[in-house]
Amino acid sequence: MPSTPLPNLLSSLVLLSLLASWVSAKSILRSLPDDPNILLSTGRSSSSDDGQYCDSWRLSVETNNAGRWATVPEKCVVFVQAYMEGEKYRSDSDVVAHDSINFAKDVTLAGDGKDIWVFDVDETLLSNAPYYAANGWGSNVFNETSFNEWVAQAKAPALPASIKMYNELLGLGFHMVLLTGRMELQRNVTEQNLLFAGYSSWTRLILRDVSDIGKTAVAYKSGKRAELEAEGYRIHGSSGDQWSDLLGLPMAARSFKLPNPMYYIS
């Protein structure tokens, strides 16, 4: 029996190997799902997709593109918790404080006691994260009664970036005006909490009076800024976690929005 030349034999083996690989690849491709986002046998696609959506949802909230919203989407609760408890929230707050101080350093103050910086209180100076941690991280409809019970304890901690910025602004010569949506009846516990958290030396603490009940936050806070300007105050900066803390005429020369994906106030 004549022998097959070695080169021809090798070529045939290579050809058969390539053919087998091609058939196998076609078989695998047929078994893949039509949706390329589905990860086979890992079970991670749902969590990954939720994380991407929730990051985008938070961006929409922070830029006010989302408009009025009532609660955190159910699938985003775990992501809001991770954000609020993690380094990203602190980092975002640090950047806002850094930008605020950079602006403040370029402001020329008159030195007459009328150069002010307006601060909101909740989620701006004080953190209510302990309350929201026990109440669904914003996934539950706001309960005024239980929140007021928390406020009455006067134990909300300071936001680290905010208290540092607050003290730096005092050092630069700004006078602090605190403008909060809390009620006048909560003045004592609010002052107690601010002092407990390390804040001091504010020029004025403004709370909602009976005549302010029913006003939107924008109407109430812009109205108070108008009163301050009528008294001769110059509002160089304003800091708040809600767009309603900052919008409405008159506005500060510069407004700085702090992060808060837990709730919305109009």
Side-chain angles (χ1 to χ4, degrees), residues 50 54 72-84 137:
D50 285 353
C54 293
V72 173
E74 182 178 354
K75 65 181 178 180
C76 294
V77 174
V78 65
F79 296 94
V80 169
Q81 177 182 357
Y83 173 76
M84 294 299 299
W137 291 107

Side-chain angles (χ1 to χ4, degrees), residues 134-213:
N135 289 274
W137 291 107
S139 61
N140 300 326
V141 175
F142 179 70
N143 186 312
E144 186 174 1
T145 300
S146 66
F147 182 74
N148 286 340
E149 291 172 353
W150 157 255
V151 168
Q153 297 177 45
K155 62 180 185 181
L159 286 163
S162 293
I163 193 166
K164 182 175 182 291
M165 178 177 72
Y166 182 97
N167 289 328
E168 287 189 49
L169 289 171
L170 283 174
L172 290 171
F174 288 88
H175 290 259
M176 306 293 105
V177 172
L178 314 186
L179 175 54
T180 174
R182 294 185 179 191
M183 295 300 298
E184 181 63 39
L185 290 173
Q186 296 171 311
R187 176 175 294 276
N188 289 341
V189 294
T190 300
E191 290 179 341
Q192 180 184 344
N193 197 157
L194 287 165
L195 292 169
F196 164 78
Y199 295 98
S200 63
S201 304
W202 55 83
T203 296
R204 190 177 301 183
L205 171 60
I206 303 172
L207 301 95
R208 280 184 185 260
D209 206 343
V210 175
S211 61
D212 299 312
I213 295 176

Side-chain angles (χ1 to χ4, degrees), residues 31-178:
S31 69
L32 288 175
D34 293 334
D35 185 354
N37 292 319
I38 296 177
L39 303 178
L40 295 179
S41 73
T42 65
R44 291 183 297 169
S45 60
S46 177
S47 177
S48 175
D49 291 346
D50 285 353
Q52 183 170 319
Y53 168 79
C54 293
D55 274 346
S56 298
W57 173 81
R58 187 172 62 82
L59 175 63
S60 181
V61 164
E62 297 297 357
T63 55
N64 208 27
N65 289 334
R68 184 191 300 267
W69 55 278
T71 58
V72 173
E74 182 178 354
K75 65 181 178 180
C76 294
V77 174
V78 65
F79 296 94
V80 169
Q81 177 182 357
Y83 173 76
M84 294 299 299
E85 294 181 338
E87 289 301 315
K88 187 67 167 66
Y89 175 55
R90 176 168 290 209
S91 176
D92 288 348
S93 300
D94 285 342
V95 170
V96 175
H98 176 76
D99 291 342
S100 303
I101 292 299
N102 279 348
F103 163 74
K105 287 178 177 177
D106 288 336
V107 175
T108 300
L109 304 182
D112 58 359
K114 296 292 187 178
D115 296 299
I116 64 172
W117 197 287
V118 176
F119 279 95
D120 172 53
V121 172
D122 293 299
E123 271 58 66
T124 300
L125 295 180
L126 301 177
S127 171
N128 296 303
Y131 169 82
Y132 284 96
N135 289 274
W137 291 107
S139 61
N140 300 326
V141 175
F142 179 70
N143 186 312
E144 186 174 1
T145 300
S146 66
F147 182 74
N148 286 340
E149 291 172 353
W150 157 255
V151 168
Q153 297 177 45
K155 62 180 185 181
L159 286 163
S162 293
I163 193 166
K164 182 175 182 291
M165 178 177 72
Y166 182 97
N167 289 328
E168 287 189 49
L169 289 171
L170 283 174
L172 290 171
F174 288 88
H175 290 259
M176 306 293 105
V177 172
L178 314 186

